[in-house]
Amino acid sequence: MSVGKDIAHDSGIGHVTGESIFIDDRPEQRGELHVGLVLAPVACGEVTNIHTADALKHPDCMGVYTYKDFHHQKWGPIIHDQNFVCNPQINYMAEPVVIIASTRRESVEEIKRLIKLEVKEKSGIFTITDARKAESILSKASAPFIQGDVEEAFKKSKHVLEGHFACGGQEHFYMESQAAVAYPLEAGQIEVHSSSQHPSETQRVVAEALGLPLHHVVCVVKRMGGGFGGKESQGAPIAAYAALVAHKLKRPARLILTKDDDMKITGKRHPFEAEYKVSFDESGKISGLKVLLMSDGGAYADLSSSILERAMFHMDSAYFLENCHIDGVCYKTNNHSNTAFRGFGGPQGTMAMESIIEDIAQFLKKDATTIRQTNLYQGNNLRTPYGQILENNMLPDVMNKLLDTADYKARRKEIDEHNKKRSGTLRGLSVTATKFGIAFTARFLNQGNALVNLHLDGTLQVSTGATEMGQGVNTKIQQIVAHVLGVPSKDVQVMPTSTEKNHNTSPTAASSGADINGAAAKNAADMIKGRLTELAKKVFAGEPADAIKEYEIMKGELDSDIVFENGKVTQKSSGKEITLKDLIGKAYFNRISLGAYAFYKTPGLGFDKVTVKGKAFNYYTQGMALSEVSIDEYTGEMKVLRTDILMDLGRPINPGIDRGQVIGGFVQGMGWVTTESLYYDAKRNLVSHSPTTYKIPNVQDIPRTLNVDFIDNPDNDVNVYGSKAVGEPPLLLGVSVWTAVKNALSYRANGKNSKLKSPATQEEILMELERIR
Amino acid sequence: MRNSIILFVNGEREELSPENSFMTVAEYLRYKKGLTGTKVVCSEGDCGACTILVSRMREGKLGPYKSINSCISFMYLLDQSHLITVEGLKKNNELHPVQKAMVENQGAQCGFCTPGFICAMASLTEDAKKEKFPLEEKRVKNYLTGNLCRCTGYDSIIKSGCSVQLNTVPELASFYDDAKIEKDLATLKGSVRITHGNNSVFLPASVDEAVLEKKDKSPRLAGGATDLGVVYNKGKLKLNDVMSLNNISSLYSVEETGTHLVVGARVSLDEVEKKTAKVFPDFSNNLHIFASPQIKNSGSLVGNLVNASPIADTIPFLRVAEAEVVLRSTSGERTLNVNTFIKGGYKELDMRADEIMTHIRLPKTKHSYKLYKVSSRRDLDISTVTMAVRYRLNGNVLEEFSLALGGVGPTVLRMNQIESKAIGQYFNQALFKRLATDVKASIKPLSDVRGSTDFRLTLCHNLMLKFCDEVMKENNISFQEISL
């Protein structure tokens, strides 16, 4: 039985030997061209003239293209407001302006330097504060989430606190930068290989850019060297640039961004700010919360409105808000167009709430953990601000077990003692939660399709819309299909994702890759199994089939009496069995289909966008993390001493892969709130555009002790094989490191309010220490 | 004179065309050899995805296999070497034990950083076998400091490293016929000169040839190219006329005399870390968090000094240690104190265009040292501020005190005025509170991506206090509470 096993990643051997093929590993084809982008030198303004003559004289230069060469000049995942290249308005620093094609990789930079741009610079808007003043808005929440009566609660409550929270953006830092190679096919058709989480969107964007019908464009994704949301929408224009060159010059064309250009051009996690007013009683029980979430969407709409919405959905973190008013606005600035990033607004909403809890604790001089316990969703308090009731709520169990196994009380006491004696180090301890809603909040995206082909030797090929970016979705799909037909998982090969096999696919995003595509693959495998079941019954019953009479199978149905296991098909009631391979042979010679295409849509979703009430999510993935930090009071240097994580993942399809997702997500979240600082100069050049200056966690930065466990949840039955989505939820737990810093600083606060921002870089920590000291 | 680069890649002999000789190693492997397992992410030696293993000929023998960043190295720098890439670690269809361990422990997710980790880990198991140390977590982490992974959070990778059974690990020398490779490479004698288009490189076989070339053509010197490779990749520098001292055997040694430790120009920082462990333990420890293994295997102490960055991590130590530099030209040899060698301006050195630095001499004295490095991330990061102190206490009296600060001016500063205020004083918190304030008043650091002016000032101030409290603790000088 394959499901539930900790089998190795399906590309594991390819990865460790270097044999796995990524976009730029594809051998160069005859006549292939190398594509380069010339970027805007100002953050706001207009391109008034482009001098291309010198570039065109370069012997290796085969073409120079501007906005005029695109069939449609705009693209966008929700609304088409983003220019492929400046047309001629410049809306952010390093926005692509010109596309060049070179016969040699080595000449690309040289040719780019021969293009001379004349620009007229205008003053831009770069911060939420400035955008707010200028009322420069990209989108607003359709309506605030309102529960109870928050104004009434403020009047009646003993304590009311007002505050401000701010967190920075985050670079995805996928190891493989944006990349695509396009091959012109016959009759003007085109095949694009892209490092993309969303092949269908890439297919559409390429078609629109070139003015082709969709059936003349195929997008193929074998794998990505990391995605994290950064290749959900923003891989598409990169593919379009390569496709434009391939289409114009009828030669293969490859565009591989350098890490520096990638970091400058592409959008990042949205910086958020929150203004809040919260009321509570002496125990810290929250009676009312009014909050306005504000995000920096950057220059274009991209996915910003959905991201703002998800931030609002997660503003409750894991706490019941009887009276609340949650609103949001996304501002338009002259920054790179911010985009999806693992968590999709959820981390920002959750972090704002966890920060508020720390503020309440500091105000009441109480342990923040007690305040979290008091406010946690539990008992009958299970209604979210948008009216969805938490089912199978594991939060109280998770919290109790985590605090117990991680020895919370004793450690808190020890830290209280340690911080009293001024030794030069300051310690902090904090627990935070993730209660991540699983489903695309855009309902139509919760659909998927799958194609399963069973071959005569009993091996299978599976194709779905899921894209593999390291998260192991292919391995899970492999396990699901192997499980259905009772074959070893090595007999199932998950094929490259391609729009010619799977149509109108959703992005591999919202943690739902395995949920939707795994369920679709299971449906397809079940269809084949149904036919084979019916055939097996006829065979076991001794029904004859020969040159004249063949077995007739219609739809076929599953039957618990017919078991597919270990390459055999057995009738439990009679004890008769046949090898799967023999049964397949009979099916083929009797003209019974051994392939199936199936569809899946997530059932039961019903969120009303007008009333902003209803079932937005299929279920929640829940978990908590307890982190302890130590701070050098002289330098602000921070170390994470220990983190304990407990997650509810239902019944994991592959516990080993899920463990990797939990730890990887946590560390990425930790990076966001600690060392990952985006630094811009006055002209809005991103100065931290490579790992020398942009510091993602390295091997020495992870918690000195890291304990990860899953809580048993045999009752979960809402998703494929009772599993739960795992991609994004653990990222939110990185917040516990930031709140632990905040907790540590509270020991020196002397009654001053915390102004700690995220990321809590060494500088942020030291300067905050200086301020409160 | 030879006019081609000769080396081995995964056991196969390569004689490079002039054109290919000037490629970065990663480009050559990927686009000329089709060995695309070696990945390029940052092109600046900071992510480790391009890690390969290199053994270099020294005195007729292949030296130990060391990990390097292939994206910032050039083919001409690897003349007379044997390169093993990730593909080369799988032999006769059998995975290397670290490859097996990474599969079994889910050590790879997206797979893009994985080949680099595999090579770094193979370097770990190779050293562990040779130096007989166990594969415990701390060691594993230290060998993987130069590799970034964005997917796993490192836990499964560390577990992979710890799970390898060393007795199953074959020595890299046994992978390919190293004896045969040695025999072949040992026949290569004399210097090498290659020209292609506007590019030329000269690899002298002796210091005498090197100084002649320096006088005639004044080429740029490339050793490990850990900085040059970066600025070249980022399009900020053309490397037309280059000379590398990599083929001069005599520059690879560290000699201990009665009074000095003498470090040759080609001694890697990794070796400096090892060779200074006894005589300058604080410096050796400081090198521990200096850069990554890959960079330390390529970069040299001389390179770090001559590059003269105001945030170079070794220079504060060299300044307070009163190190001496040996400069050679056709007109002879000069030995200068590093404090006169470094002048006041940005990268301003007392070094003529016809000179090369052959050695750094570290005087052995009975002082104590304290070295501090503050960076956004503890490991593998460029410093925001560095501080080095050399001191000697006589009872409670500060008899000697030397102070250098990096990251707060156009060059690493020696703080003479602060020193004279400290020398002869009683060692106590009041003194250092005064000195800390004085330090703050006497520097004017810039604001940049690594920290604001205020942050740097506060750091320098607080590091003085930290130094004071640490020394008091270590010397059992009683105090009520910390200086902060």
Side-chain angles (χ1 to χ4, degrees):
Chain A
M1 290 286 105
S2 188
V3 162
K5 267 195 197 160
D6 184 7
I7 67 163
H9 193 284
D10 75 328
S11 291
I13 289 175
H15 289 350
V16 300
T17 54
E19 288 161 11
S20 293
I21 299 294
F22 296 83
I23 297 291
D24 196 34
D25 300 339
R26 299 178 65 81
E28 197 169 313
Q29 287 201 357
R30 192 170 56 226
E32 190 168 304
L33 299 171
H34 299 273
V35 181
L37 303 174
V38 179
L39 311 179
V42 299
C44 184
E46 198 179 308
V47 182
T48 52
N49 213 341
I50 302 172
H51 300 278
T52 61
D54 288 352
L56 286 166
K57 271 184 227 149
H58 191 288
D60 297 337
C61 180
M62 291 293 118
V64 174
Y65 305 101
T66 67
Y67 70 97
K68 291 173 186 157
D69 295 290
F70 286 85
H71 181 83
H72 278 296
Q73 287 171 15
K74 288 183 191 288
W75 72 283
I78 299 176
I79 57 166
H80 286 202
D81 71 332
Q82 177 154 4
N83 303 320
F84 275 105
V85 293
C86 296
N87 82 336
Q89 275 71 38
I90 299 169
N91 291 316
Y92 70 94
M93 180 63 86
E95 184 169 9
V97 182
V98 177
I99 299 159
I100 65 107
S102 166
T103 53
R104 292 172 67 242
R105 184 186 299 271
E106 297 79 7
S107 307
V108 170
E109 290 304 315
E110 232 172 87
I111 296 170
K112 276 162 66 174
R113 278 196 287 269
L114 294 174
I115 303 270
K116 294 282 176 281
L117 301 180
E118 285 177 40
V119 299
K120 204 162 82 191
E121 190 175 2
K122 292 185 204 149
S123 65
I125 294 172
F126 303 124
T127 62
I128 288 174
T129 312
D130 290 347
R132 209 174 172 191
K133 264 185 223 148
E135 291 184 45
S136 171
I137 290 169
L138 262 179
S139 69
K140 277 184 171 176
S142 55
F145 295 168
I146 297 173
Q147 180 151 256
D149 186 338
V150 75
E151 296 302 334
E152 195 58 28
F154 290 158
K155 273 185 217 157
K156 286 186 190 156
S157 295
K158 184 160 183 205
H159 304 295
V160 178
L161 202 60
E162 289 184 66
H164 184 264
F165 163 84
C167 59
Q170 184 181 25
E171 160 62 31
H172 301 84
F173 212 90
Y174 29 68
M175 298 301 281
E176 181 194 30
S177 296
Q178 302 278 3
V181 53
Y183 303 108
L185 306 178
E186 295 175 10
Q189 299 175 28
I190 201 145
E191 180 175 307
V192 183
H193 291 249
S194 169
S195 186
S196 165
Q197 289 171 246
H198 198 350
S200 287
E201 169 82 355
T202 303
Q203 175 198 22
R204 288 191 284 263
V205 170
V206 166
E208 283 166 15
L210 308 184
L212 295 176
L214 287 172
H215 71 306
H216 282 178
V217 181
V218 174
C219 176
V220 183
V221 178
K222 172 62 185 165
R223 62 167 61 80
M224 282 160 273
F228 314 116
K231 294 169 181 172
E232 179 173 347
S233 63
Q234 301 206 352
I238 304 297
Y241 303 147
L244 179 81
V245 170
H247 191 65
K248 293 267 181 195
L249 296 170
K250 306 283 174 254
R251 290 166 73 163
R254 169 183 312 227
L255 173 53
I256 313 292
L257 290 189
T258 62
K259 185 48 74 194
D260 308 76
D261 280 353
D262 185 299
M263 287 185 70
K264 289 176 197 166
I265 297 169
T266 63
K268 325 214 172 295
R269 185 187 295 287
H270 289 65
F272 264 70
E273 292 184 21
E275 272 178 7
Y276 69 86
K277 187 173 176 184
V278 62
S279 61
F280 44 93
D281 65 14
E282 203 53 46
S283 73
K285 170 90 182 144
I286 296 171
S287 54
L289 174 70
K290 187 171 183 180
V291 61
L292 174 66
L293 286 165
M294 297 165 282
S295 68
D296 172 359
Y300 299 104
D302 197 84
L303 295 157
S304 295
S305 54
S306 293
I307 290 162
L308 176 68
E309 195 180 35
R310 189 169 277 268
M312 292 166 63
F313 276 119
H314 289 80
M315 187 59 223
D316 58 348
S317 184
Y319 314 109
F320 176 61
L321 300 172
E322 199 174 357
N323 302 292
C324 64
H325 182 286
I326 299 166
D327 207 351
V329 55
C330 172
Y331 290 106
K332 185 178 167 80
T333 61
N334 293 103
N335 294 322
H336 38 65
S337 181
N338 288 324
T339 190
F341 192 149
R342 201 175 193 174
F344 206 74
Q348 293 95 321
T350 290
M351 190 173 179
M353 186 69 217
E354 298 290 359
S355 177
I356 291 169
I357 298 259
E358 294 291 329
D359 290 344
I360 294 172
Q362 194 173 326
F363 178 84
L364 292 173
K365 298 195 168 53
K366 275 193 153 61
D367 185 354
T369 301
T370 326
I371 294 171
R372 288 190 168 90
Q373 281 172 317
T374 306
N375 289 291
L376 199 68
Y377 281 114
Q378 58 198 303
N380 292 324
N381 294 339
L382 297 171
R383 198 180 59 253
T384 63
Y386 45 94
Q388 179 163 355
I389 307 292
L390 264 61
E391 289 165 34
N392 185 219
N393 176 35
M394 300 294 286
L395 287 167
D397 287 354
V398 168
M399 188 161 194
N400 292 336
K401 192 174 169 197
L402 178 66
L403 295 180
D404 189 36
T405 54
D407 207 13
Y408 178 79
K409 276 187 189 154
R411 286 166 65 198
R412 171 60 68 197
K413 220 175 134 192
E414 193 200 323
I415 287 170
D416 287 344
E417 291 302 315
H418 172 89
N419 289 344
K420 258 183 221 156
K421 51 176 205 297
R422 293 179 12 106
S423 64
T425 63
L426 193 52
R427 281 155 66 190
L429 180 67
S430 181
V431 62
T432 64
T434 181
K435 171 198 65 57
F436 200 80
I438 304 300
F440 288 97
T441 52
R443 188 177 63 188
F444 71 94
L445 291 175
N446 295 288
Q447 59 172 314
N449 59 75
L451 174 68
V452 176
N453 291 330
L454 176 54
H455 296 286
L456 291 181
D457 64 353
T459 64
L460 296 113
Q461 290 172 324
V462 188
S463 307
T464 76
T467 54
E468 175 65 39
M469 59 194 106
Q471 84 280 41
V473 66
N474 282 359
T475 312
K476 289 181 180 176
I477 290 171
Q478 181 187 32
Q479 287 177 273
I480 288 169
V481 171
H483 192 84
V484 170
L485 289 158
V487 299
S489 49
K490 70 170 175 52
D491 286 357
V492 179
Q493 179 65 48
V494 179
M495 304 304 289
T497 314
S498 167
T499 57
E500 67 179 327
K501 285 175 293 180
N502 300 98
H503 62 90
N504 302 303
T505 55
S506 294
T508 305
S511 306
S512 66
D515 285 20
I516 291 172
N517 297 288
K522 180 175 184 298
N523 285 351
D526 275 342
M527 284 162 70
I528 299 171
K529 185 180 178 182
R531 291 183 213 125
L532 290 176
T533 298
E534 201 174 320
L535 174 64
K537 281 195 213 165
K538 289 182 195 281
V539 173
F540 292 146
E543 259 188 49
D546 51 34
I548 293 156
K549 182 177 164 29
E550 69 181 354
Y551 292 123
E552 285 286 346
I553 304 289
M554 300 312 288
K555 193 164 161 268
E557 268 191 30
L558 301 179
D559 183 336
S560 59
D561 191 35
I562 306 291
V563 178
F564 288 62
E565 224 170 29
N566 302 326
K568 287 196 194 99
V569 180
T570 313
Q571 189 166 40
K572 280 202 289 193
S573 54
S574 68
K576 288 180 182 170
E577 67 171 40
I578 182 170
T579 65
L580 180 64
K581 211 172 145 184
D582 286 348
L583 190 63
I584 291 166
K586 284 187 194 300
Y588 177 64
F589 285 109
N590 286 278
R591 298 189 294 175
I592 296 162
S593 168
L594 290 167
Y597 163 84
F599 182 73
Y600 173 81
K601 62 175 186 175
T602 309
L605 297 174
F607 180 73
D608 185 329
K609 295 247 176 190
V610 178
T611 62
V612 290
K613 294 277 178 213
K615 193 175 174 195
F617 302 112
N618 190 21
Y619 62 92
Y620 296 90
T621 295
Q622 300 176 326
M624 289 187 122
L626 177 69
S627 290
E628 180 176 345
V629 301
S630 168
I631 292 167
D632 182 320
E633 287 196 74
Y634 298 94
T635 64
E637 186 185 342
M638 189 273 288
K639 289 178 201 159
V640 185
L641 300 179
R642 173 173 167 181
T643 294
D644 294 76
I645 296 175
L646 184 60
M647 291 288 299
D648 162 32
L649 296 177
R651 282 164 286 175
I653 289 169
N654 187 319
I657 281 178
D658 282 4
R659 191 184 150 83
Q661 286 296 296
V662 169
I663 296 174
F666 168 79
V667 170
Q668 202 170 56
M670 183 188 90
W672 171 50
V673 300
T674 57
T675 53
E676 293 183 36
S677 178
L678 294 163
Y679 184 89
Y680 304 85
D681 68 11
K683 299 281 256 176
R684 217 48 187 177
N685 282 298
L686 177 66
V687 181
S688 52
H689 58 70
S690 71
T692 313
T693 43
Y694 186 78
K695 306 316 268 190
I696 69 168
N698 98 345
V699 72
Q700 307 281 5
D701 297 326
I702 64 169
R704 300 287 196 271
T705 305
L706 178 59
N707 302 310
V708 175
D709 203 1
F710 304 152
I711 198 165
D712 280 339
N713 181 1
D715 299 333
N716 179 53
D717 55 5
V718 287
N719 190 36
V720 61
Y721 290 111
S723 66
K724 283 194 169 192
V726 66
E728 295 163 287
L731 184 133
L732 281 63
L733 297 177
V735 168
S736 62
V737 173
W738 186 81
T739 49
V741 170
K742 202 160 156 147
N743 173 248
L745 296 178
S746 74
Y747 285 93
R748 294 282 182 272
N750 301 320
K752 287 186 190 150
N753 289 339
S754 166
K755 287 195 175 166
L756 187 74
K757 290 197 195 78
S758 177
T761 59
Q762 188 170 355
E763 176 166 0
E764 177 71 17
I765 293 171
L766 185 65
M767 297 323 273
E768 176 71 0
L769 260 173
E770 290 290 309
R771 188 184 69 84
I772 58 179
R773 190 141 42 207
Chain B
M1 182 150 0
R2 182 151 52 93
N3 50 18
S4 63
I5 297 295
I6 294 170
L7 45 69
F8 283 72
V9 177
N10 295 333
E12 278 180 38
R13 190 178 202 269
E14 310 276 342
E15 182 161 359
L16 302 185
S17 69
E19 185 182 2
N20 291 351
S21 308
F22 291 93
M23 296 183 84
T24 67
V25 178
E27 278 174 345
Y28 176 75
L29 293 173
R30 287 180 57 75
Y31 305 128
K32 295 294 173 186
K33 297 291 293 173
L35 295 170
T36 53
T38 299
K39 301 288 188 255
V40 174
V41 177
C42 69
S43 302
E44 58 189 26
D46 215 301
C47 76
C50 65
T51 304
I52 61 164
L53 297 157
V54 175
S55 163
R56 183 183 287 283
M57 281 294 276
R58 269 195 222 173
E59 326 247 316
K61 289 266 171 222
L62 276 172
Y65 284 87
K66 291 285 178 187
S67 60
I68 69 157
N69 295 118
S70 67
C71 75
I72 49 169
S73 189
F74 297 95
M75 289 310 289
Y76 57 71
L77 294 178
L78 298 185
D79 187 50
Q80 303 179 47
S81 299
H82 180 209
L83 281 53
I84 297 181
T85 69
V86 67
E87 291 91 347
L89 289 171
K90 177 179 155 189
K91 195 79 198 304
N92 303 326
N93 236 1
E94 179 83 9
L95 296 185
H96 186 282
V98 304
Q99 291 174 319
K100 253 185 242 163
M102 282 279 276
V103 174
E104 285 163 6
N105 290 281
Q106 303 279 15
Q109 288 188 20
C110 85
F112 211 81
C113 72
T114 312
F117 272 97
I118 294 291
C119 288
M121 218 182 269
S123 160
L124 161 76
T125 55
E126 175 82 357
D127 285 0
K129 235 180 141 76
K130 286 212 165 117
E131 296 166 26
K132 297 195 170 38
F133 59 77
L135 295 179
E136 58 204 16
E137 191 171 314
K138 202 174 156 207
R139 291 277 193 175
V140 174
K141 283 184 174 177
N142 288 343
Y143 271 81
L144 302 180
T145 303
N147 294 77
L148 293 177
C149 168
R150 191 54 152 169
C151 293
T152 61
Y154 304 100
D155 184 72
S156 58
I157 297 176
I158 298 165
K159 287 201 165 67
S160 304
C162 293
S163 76
V164 174
Q165 298 298 314
L166 274 180
N167 57 6
T168 66
V169 178
E171 279 193 26
L172 289 172
S174 72
F175 256 62
Y176 299 93
D177 194 344
D178 271 18
K180 204 177 125 201
I181 296 173
E182 263 169 15
K183 211 172 141 195
D184 187 326
L185 293 178
T187 63
L188 304 173
K189 300 265 191 289
S191 54
V192 184
R193 188 184 297 280
I194 300 158
T195 50
H196 174 74
N198 291 331
N199 293 327
S200 78
V201 65
F202 180 57
L203 297 158
S206 68
V207 174
D208 289 341
E209 284 176 283
V211 291
L212 261 176
E213 178 84 359
K214 193 82 169 93
K215 188 183 177 204
D216 290 349
K217 298 189 180 145
S218 199
R220 189 181 278 273
L221 256 70
T226 53
D227 192 48
L228 282 188
V230 179
V231 284
Y232 169 84
N233 281 343
K234 307 279 163 156
K236 290 179 188 156
L237 175 77
K238 288 199 168 169
L239 284 176
N240 294 130
D241 292 308
V242 178
M243 173 164 72
S244 167
L245 309 181
N246 284 5
N247 286 3
I248 306 178
S249 295
S250 64
L251 296 180
Y252 282 89
S253 62
V254 179
E255 276 168 42
E256 190 169 350
T257 68
T259 54
H260 287 81
L261 211 59
V262 184
V263 180
R266 288 302 306 131
V267 179
S268 70
L269 286 159
D270 172 66
E271 257 186 276
V272 174
E273 181 184 334
K274 288 187 179 121
K275 294 272 167 67
T276 52
K278 270 197 194 136
V279 191
F280 300 101
D282 297 279
F283 180 53
S284 179
N285 275 337
N286 200 48
L287 283 174
H288 203 65
I289 55 166
F290 177 106
S292 64
Q294 290 91 325
I295 294 289
K296 280 192 278 191
N297 290 332
S298 300
S300 61
L301 185 62
V302 165
N304 198 235
L305 176 57
V306 176
N307 195 39
S309 163
I311 41 175
D313 283 342
T314 64
I315 297 181
F317 165 77
L318 295 174
R319 290 202 80 153
V320 297
E322 306 287 349
E324 294 157 356
V325 299
V326 182
L327 303 173
R328 268 282 296 275
S329 67
T330 48
S331 48
E333 198 171 272
R334 291 199 293 155
T335 301
L336 298 179
N337 184 297
V338 72
N339 292 308
T340 55
F341 174 70
I342 295 173
K343 296 175 159 186
Y346 178 71
K347 299 206 173 190
E348 193 191 348
L349 301 174
D350 182 358
M351 189 170 180
R352 297 194 312 262
D354 67 338
E355 283 179 319
I356 62 171
M357 188 183 290
T358 58
H359 296 88
I360 292 177
R361 295 160 52 85
L362 301 171
K364 297 195 284 187
T365 58
K366 288 219 163 13
H367 292 88
S368 302
Y369 286 88
K370 280 212 173 280
L371 308 171
Y372 300 93
K373 167 179 167 129
V374 176
S375 49
S376 309
R377 194 174 61 195
R378 199 178 83 90
D379 295 81
L380 182 62
D381 195 359
I382 292 169
S383 299
T384 307
V385 164
T386 51
M387 180 171 114
V389 187
R390 185 172 82 157
Y391 64 102
R392 191 152 62 187
L393 280 174
N394 186 358
N396 280 4
V397 175
L398 192 51
E399 245 182 20
E400 286 191 50
F401 182 74
S402 306
L403 174 68
L405 288 170
V408 297
T411 182
V412 172
L413 306 175
R414 181 75 189 265
M415 308 297 290
N416 296 317
Q417 290 189 339
I418 305 289
E419 290 172 9
S420 52
K421 284 184 193 172
I423 292 166
Q425 303 291 317
Y426 280 109
F427 197 107
N428 57 37
Q429 292 178 325
L431 169 68
F432 275 88
K433 282 183 184 174
R434 276 202 312 277
L435 294 176
T437 312
D438 290 346
V439 163
K440 229 173 148 174
S442 55
I443 51 174
K444 289 192 182 66
L446 296 174
S447 276
D448 68 10
V449 61
R450 298 196 173 85
S452 66
T453 299
D454 276 354
F455 178 45
R456 287 192 159 104
L457 288 172
T458 307
L459 278 173
C460 292
H461 178 268
N462 290 1
L463 283 174
M464 292 294 285
L465 303 182
K466 189 178 167 88
F467 166 77
C468 166
D469 292 350
E470 281 181 1
V471 171
M472 299 214 332
K473 261 181 220 163
E474 285 162 22
N475 291 280
N476 300 315
I477 304 173
S478 66
F479 63 101
Q480 296 273 306
E481 63 172 16
I482 59 170
S483 308
L484 274 173

